[in-house]
Amino acid sequence: MSMYFTGTTAGTSGGTYTSLYTTGTNGVTTYPISMSCHFYAENLVPVAALGVAPLLTILNVPAGDPATHNGGHSLTLVFNTTNAGTRIQARTTSTYTVSAVSAQSSGGNLNRSWRFAAAIFTGITGRAIWNEGVVATNSSSRNATGLNTFYIADSFPQFSTLSNRVQGFVQEVGLWNVELDESDITALRKGIKPIYVRPEGLRIYIPGIRDVADFVGGLPITTSGTLVVGEHHRRYG
């Protein structure tokens, strides 16, 4: 089974969407940080309103206020449609008032096909995005600190509640406190479960099978909206 998220367009009055977040990050607070998932985007057209829609995010959320996701610091695996074709980015945001910096994949149609993506953050000047087996990097200086919450399909704090949301399936979500290398990415892309890839550094693993749970850290998970569980996709080769 896999998790199905119902997205909505930015600024939609009364719009509904689905997302989830963990209480804590199981010790993932500083670099290196890696995150990955398999996804099936059903409709990326609404993303174009503001150009971005978060897929995975680890961020700083003010104490006692996880639902409004207004922390200024974040590391995000995010869709971007402000350029020709839909891109995937590994994006670092430090405050609302300072623009984010990103490693950005090449453009392409990401709709209605299962794909794999990973974002690797090695430090203030190091980030990489893997779109399937192709990597892009960025070395601009930007820092994110105080990271304390992990989101799926929500929480792009630079745009706060005006952010778009992903519509489609997400599964085999992993968050590591190590830098994944090319062999790790290849294994994950081929369908090897995150729990078997650099297990010493894996801190959160949410496969989306049968129910929504963190199989590594056992962190509590809060869901916003009605989360639908669909068919789990596995691929090899």
Side-chain angles (χ1 to χ4, degrees):
M1 312 297 280
S2 59
M3 299 171 287
Y4 180 76
F5 295 88
T6 56
T8 188
T9 307
T12 300
S13 177
T16 59
Y17 66 94
T18 309
S19 65
L20 63 83
Y21 64 88
T22 64
T23 300
T25 61
N26 195 22
V28 182
T29 59
T30 189
Y31 311 106
I33 295 174
S34 303
M35 59 184 77
S36 75
C37 68
H38 290 265
F39 66 90
Y40 182 101
E42 284 198 337
N43 185 6
L44 287 175
V45 175
V47 178
L50 280 180
V52 295
L55 192 56
L56 305 177
T57 306
I58 183 170
L59 74 160
N60 178 337
V61 174
D65 195 21
T68 57
H69 48 74
N70 285 328
H73 292 247
S74 72
L75 305 175
T76 306
L77 174 57
V78 61
F79 291 114
N80 184 330
T81 58
T82 58
N83 297 288
T86 300
R87 320 268 180 133
I88 304 176
Q89 296 180 335
R91 179 175 290 217
T92 304
T93 304
S94 57
T95 68
Y96 292 117
T97 57
V98 177
S99 61
V101 297
S102 306
Q104 180 169 268
S105 71
S106 57
N109 183 9
L110 304 181
N111 272 317
R112 300 190 178 279
S113 63
W114 278 103
R115 302 181 70 90
F116 170 80
I120 317 295
F121 301 90
T122 57
I124 298 174
T125 58
R127 60 199 60 83
I129 184 69
W130 286 87
N131 179 10
E132 292 294 333
V134 180
V135 66
T137 62
N138 173 274
S139 59
S140 299
S141 181
R142 191 73 80 248
N143 195 20
T145 61
L147 306 174
N148 58 19
T149 306
F150 183 60
Y151 276 84
I152 302 177
D154 197 1
S155 198
F156 188 66
Q158 189 180 10
F159 294 96
S160 187
T161 56
L162 295 181
S163 178
N164 288 288
R165 275 86 181 189
V166 172
Q167 178 181 335
F169 294 94
V170 181
Q171 66 179 41
E172 297 299 329
V173 174
L175 179 71
W176 291 259
N177 217 167
V178 297
E179 178 185 356
L180 298 181
D181 62 23
E182 185 173 0
S183 64
D184 300 327
I185 297 299
T186 299
L188 291 165
R189 178 173 173 259
K190 288 184 175 181
I192 302 301
K193 290 178 174 292
I195 201 168
Y196 298 121
V197 177
R198 303 292 295 277
E200 77 283 0
L202 184 64
R203 296 293 177 261
I204 295 176
Y205 171 45
I206 304 174
I209 302 175
R210 291 184 296 277
D211 55 6
V212 179
D214 171 19
F215 281 40
V216 172
L219 296 176
I221 295 176
T222 300
T223 301
S224 174
T226 302
L227 185 66
V228 178
V229 180
E231 181 180 356
H232 189 275
H233 171 76
R234 293 299 301 277
R235 71 180 188 187
Y236 298 91

